[in-house]
Amino acid sequence: MPKGPKLNNISKNFTTRDSLGIEGVATTIQAEICPVVNTVTPRAFYWPFMAWIYYDFYRYSGIEEHNLTAFDKYLKRQDYFFVLATLLTEGSDQSNLVGKQQSQIDIDENPSGPYLFNPNYFKTTYGGMQYYNAGCLSMYFITDYDPENDKSYSFPVLRLEGEEMAKAFEAVIKNTRYYKEYRRNEKAVPRDVLEEYGKVINLGLDGFDECKGLLRHYLFEDDRAVQLINRSRLLTDCGNYLKTIVTDNGVTEMNRTVCRQMFYDHQLPNGKDLVVDDALVAVVNKWEIVVGRMYFASGIGMIWKYMLEQLNGTLMLKEWISQSINNADYKWDLESKISDVIEECEYDFNTREKMISATAQRNTSSYSIENGLKIILSVYNRFVDRTDFGDEKIFFEYGEDSQSISINELFLQVKNHMDKTIKDFIVYIMKHWLVEQHYYTAFNKLLQGRDGFYYEIIDGRYIRKHEYDVFFQENRMVQLTQVMRDLDML
């Protein structure tokens, strides 16, 4: 249907990401304490693979103009046939193999081959490796800056470190028929060529021992990256923490839930206490704060979800808040003071998780407001007046300069409301930490061309646009565990 003149078309793509501007703080802290390896870079293989593709592109592609469009096509060809080779290899490691859905369709439709390059196997730039390019920059395999002329390159340049990694990778695959006969042309690749290739190239880096050694060095030993001061020391701290968890305490599965239990409650999945060396106190404290931020965001999100579900029809803000509070159920007397209930807000892992999961279900718990407040107050109790934190306390300030809500703000507002009623604090949270906070966050997204508003305001009356759900963020230590396993470090 026509949308009218372009100037009248104000529709935007709706985004659900960080609708309150609160979740991003935990992401920022994670990026500082666990650099390079993030939630979308779980396999070490792609860094040397990308370095080799840059090297091969510059040296052998025959393309004189080095630009993103030409490189993207060259990279995707190499990635596509790697994915096909992996899928055609029986028993191959396919965990976090990106681009396999369309590639498998190509195999199913043409089981005997040969296979022409399908550029639509993955639509984004860099194929399935778009997030790994930043790591190549951080580890100085490539650079986008020309120090001699003090300007940025129009297209990244391969550095000596990247060439060293590329040559180590190439040494393993150079005797395959794919490398010798097919990688630099437009010819269809026979199935048997890919089957041979798949026995050599693999996601787990089996047989790529030199590449593994170089990656261990550049990730965990090399401190040269100016933009990530002490990068390797930070990753080494995280790695040593994981070694304690996996090797010394016998944890075989790492996921978001396990991480929350271990990093926040310092408890193993079997219920036993996590034993950690004193040398790791600082990194242990940092990850406790990260998970604490996640719980804080979840507590606020629980109340937000319930509020939005109560926004049926059009309501003034005061009506919306009143209706939300009145329709909920409570075990507490809302006229009691915060000081009367604060001490009971100490919960073990299972109790805390059950309160959150009840709200995360399709049918939200009628106790979501009270349980959300309990989670918020439990985070306050966990961190307020802690004497065992050193420099990690800096993370309590995060959010103060970004229109978010810091842990220090949590401390301040709980103390300000300590002698006020529970209802007073709920009203404060709803008005300032939810409705107003969402407006600031969604308005800033709108300036960037994204629609993040869960409500509309017409003549001072609020109308719900979208429903909200509570979920936990990813934890980088899950991906770091896999990378370290790939590098024979666990």
Side-chain angles (χ1 to χ4, degrees), residues 273-284:
D273 290 340
L274 175 64
V275 179
V276 180
D277 190 272
D278 290 343
L280 297 175
V281 168
V283 70
V284 169

Side-chain angles (χ1 to χ4, degrees), residues 138-156:
S138 297
M139 289 184 279
Y140 275 84
F141 296 159
I142 57 174
T143 181
D144 55 6
Y145 175 69
D146 179 1
E148 293 185 4
N149 299 304
D150 190 26
K151 66 177 184 179
S152 297
Y153 289 116
S154 59
F155 182 75

Side-chain angles (χ1 to χ4, degrees), residues 168-185:
F169 190 90
E170 184 178 69
V172 180
I173 66 171
K174 68 180 182 180
N175 292 323
T176 64
R177 283 183 61 198
Y178 173 80
Y179 177 88
K180 294 177 180 179
E181 302 175 26
Y182 294 95
R183 81 182 196 282
R184 290 191 288 127
N185 56 56

Side-chain angles (χ1 to χ4, degrees), residues 410-423:
L410 168 66
F411 295 157
L412 175 65
Q413 293 305 329
V414 172
K415 289 175 181 178
N416 285 345
H417 287 84
M418 195 67 74
D419 291 325
K420 296 180 181 179
T421 68
I422 296 170
K423 183 177 181 180

Side-chain angles (χ1 to χ4, degrees), residues 107-175:
I107 292 174
D108 294 341
E109 292 179 348
N110 181 20
S112 60
Y115 302 94
L116 284 169
F117 168 51
N118 179 1
N120 296 317
Y121 83 105
F122 208 81
K123 296 187 182 301
T124 61
T125 304
Y126 294 122
M129 295 181 279
Q130 67 269 34
Y131 299 109
Y132 289 86
N133 203 57
C136 288
L137 287 165
S138 297
M139 289 184 279
Y140 275 84
F141 296 159
I142 57 174
T143 181
D144 55 6
Y145 175 69
D146 179 1
E148 293 185 4
N149 299 304
D150 190 26
K151 66 177 184 179
S152 297
Y153 289 116
S154 59
F155 182 75
V157 173
L158 191 71
R159 289 177 54 94
L160 290 176
E161 293 85 349
E163 184 173 336
E164 179 186 27
M165 178 65 79
K167 288 179 176 179
F169 190 90
E170 184 178 69
V172 180
I173 66 171
K174 68 180 182 180
N175 292 323

